[in-house]
Amino acid sequence: CPQLLAAAARRRRTEGQGQHKALSQSADVSDSLGRMRATMARELSRMTATAEVLDASSSTMRETAVLTGSLDTRLNKARSLLQKIARRNCTDMVLVCLGLLLFALVVLYIVKRRVYDRVFEAA
């Protein structure tokens, strides 16, 4: 009988140790899952912040693209106007030169009629 009691006590001890071991492993797994959950929550918040930054950057880039398109259109119009002004400037210079040439010819004609023709008529 004492051997049976000793065997039963050993069995209870090993069962108690097995239960204690199972509880310890269960607690370790729970702690590990808690740490993993906290890590995942930090990563999720970091990813959310990154997504917000990317959204803000994307909207800034879209606005910049719109402004660049607007500036490109304005620059093309300005280039066209400057080319027109350059052509008109060239045309104006030709007209001024022709006007000065005509004026000089008229002055020479008048001088010829008044001075040159009188000198040779009197002679």
Side-chain angles (χ1 to χ4, degrees):
C1 205
Q3 289 176 350
L4 284 176
L5 287 176
R10 261 186 274 141
R11 194 180 327 147
R12 278 191 218 136
R13 251 187 268 135
T14 54
E15 284 177 4
Q17 286 176 353
Q19 286 178 352
H20 179 67
K21 197 176 199 182
L23 285 175
S24 174
Q25 286 177 347
S26 175
D28 289 345
V29 168
S30 294
D31 289 343
S32 176
L33 286 174
R35 286 191 303 272
M36 186 182 296
R37 182 185 175 281
T39 302
M40 289 175 72
R42 282 193 306 271
E43 287 298 317
L44 180 64
S45 67
R46 192 177 70 146
M47 287 171 48
T48 302
T50 302
E52 289 173 359
V53 169
L54 284 173
D55 285 342
S57 296
S58 296
S59 68
T60 302
M61 289 183 73
R62 279 190 293 274
E63 290 172 7
T64 303
V66 168
L67 288 176
T68 302
S70 172
L71 289 176
D72 188 41
T73 303
R74 288 182 184 178
L75 285 173
N76 286 335
K77 285 182 181 179
R79 183 180 302 120
S80 170
L81 290 173
L82 285 173
Q83 288 172 347
K84 284 181 183 179
I85 289 171
R87 280 193 305 266
R88 286 187 182 172
N89 189 27
C90 183
T91 304
D92 289 347
M93 289 298 277
V94 167
L95 290 175
V96 166
C97 289
L98 288 176
L100 285 174
L101 179 65
L102 181 66
F103 177 75
L105 289 174
V106 169
V107 168
L108 287 174
Y109 176 76
I110 292 172
V111 168
K112 177 192 170 272
R113 293 283 291 174
R114 292 200 176 202
V115 175
Y116 188 72
D117 287 346
R118 283 190 184 172
V119 170
F120 288 110
E121 278 182 12

